[in-house]
Amino acid sequence: MSEDQAAAFRQSESDVARVKQSMREAWNTPGAGYDEMAETLRPAMLHLLESVPVQPGQRLLDAATGTGLAAIEAARRGAHVTGLDFAHDLVAEARRKGTAAGVEVQWDVADIEALPYLDQTFDAVISSFGAIFAPRHDVVVHELARVLKPGGVLAFSSWKPEGPNLCMMTLTAPYVPPPPPGAFSPLDWGEREYVLAMLSPYFDDITVDEGNCPLLASSVSDATAMLFERALGPTVYVFNRLDLDAKRAMLDDATALFASCLEPDGTVNLRRDYLLVRGLRAEGGRNKRRVITFA
């Protein structure tokens, strides 16, 4: 990051190094299997791309790209796309999918909190339920703003902390150590006031839209297998490390949750409400204030 954009952050890199290593292992766990979960996000991803909107020739970064769903679609629309993620197995799958789709995307393995790009590189930065999981929210906003050109668009989606999706996202909470004091939560990004407070030092014309991107599964057992065996790295990672009694308890919790979302035909339809956030990088490319404060 450039000197004149230096900011004071709540936590240092060393504070979160162990957290990041665990996160990297977790997201790498399903490898190509994560693509199944990513596909459930396609309606929200299309909503995200329309909000930019993506233009031919535009330089676009898909930050925390996962298996590349949004990056590949943006490339299909003519943008010059870079897809970045810190989980190398996910990037390998994204690269394979991009080649199969016949599109050109630059795929990079790197930390979203330390983007390997010069200031003001991109016309647009997007993130489909990805950037919200970075452990230091103040750092990730700074970095996404830094690589955007003045007037460039940031658009990302985040989960609202409510309803069945909140229950699903917190299934593992009773079985893992609590976060350290002062830690950020990805669910913070689902609060409008928090979003505005975090983005306003860097962005103008911030808008927040809403949507529902349901998790659909053929049955309760299919939904639990997706969560604990096949497709979602963090839950698979935690589940695999539990003893038998804890696994049974977590499976019971998930079964009860998915059973509450059954359709008459026996399929699962779990509501997932989200925010779609869009802002324009402040003109001049400089922060409005250099030390980040919190509401």
Side-chain angles (χ1 to χ4, degrees), residues 3 27 38 42-43 100 109 112 114 122 136 172 219 259 278 283:
E3 182 178 352
W27 286 106
R42 184 174 288 276
V109 178
I112 195 174
F122 298 99
R136 297 185 295 170
T172 61
S219 65
R278 183 182 185 275
E283 291 295 334

Side-chain angles (χ1 to χ4, degrees), residues 22 35 38-39 42 54 72-73 78 101-102 109-110 117 127 132 163 165 174 177 183 220 229 233 272 281 295:
S22 294
D35 198 49
E39 282 293 335
R42 184 174 288 276
V54 177
I72 291 168
E73 182 59 34
V109 178
Y117 313 116
S127 189
I132 61 173
N165 193 47
V220 169
E229 298 175 20
R272 294 187 295 183
R281 181 66 168 105

Side-chain angles (χ1 to χ4, degrees), residues 95 98 170 260:
R95 184 176 289 112
T170 56
S260 72

Side-chain angles (χ1 to χ4, degrees), residues 39-55:
E39 282 293 335
T40 72
L41 306 177
R42 184 174 288 276
M45 178 273 290
L46 295 174
H47 186 190
L48 176 69
L49 295 185
E50 292 299 329
S51 76
V52 174
V54 177
Q55 302 289 339

Side-chain angles (χ1 to χ4, degrees), residues 25 31 87 143 217 232:
E25 291 176 9
E143 280 294 277
L232 187 58

Side-chain angles (χ1 to χ4, degrees), residues 40-45 47 129 158-160 162 164-165 209-216 269-276:
T40 72
L41 306 177
R42 184 174 288 276
M45 178 273 290
H47 186 190
F129 304 105
S158 59
W159 297 118
K160 295 181 69 176
E162 60 187 42
N165 193 47
D209 197 3
E210 297 189 8
N212 167 39
C213 184
L215 177 70
L216 306 177
N269 184 336
L270 184 143
R271 185 177 182 90
R272 294 187 295 183
D273 291 301
Y274 66 89
L275 298 184
L276 195 154

Side-chain angles (χ1 to χ4, degrees), residues 110-123:
D111 187 347
I112 195 174
E113 293 186 359
L115 295 173
Y117 313 116
L118 297 176
D119 296 359
Q120 303 182 16
T121 295
F122 298 99
D123 303 299

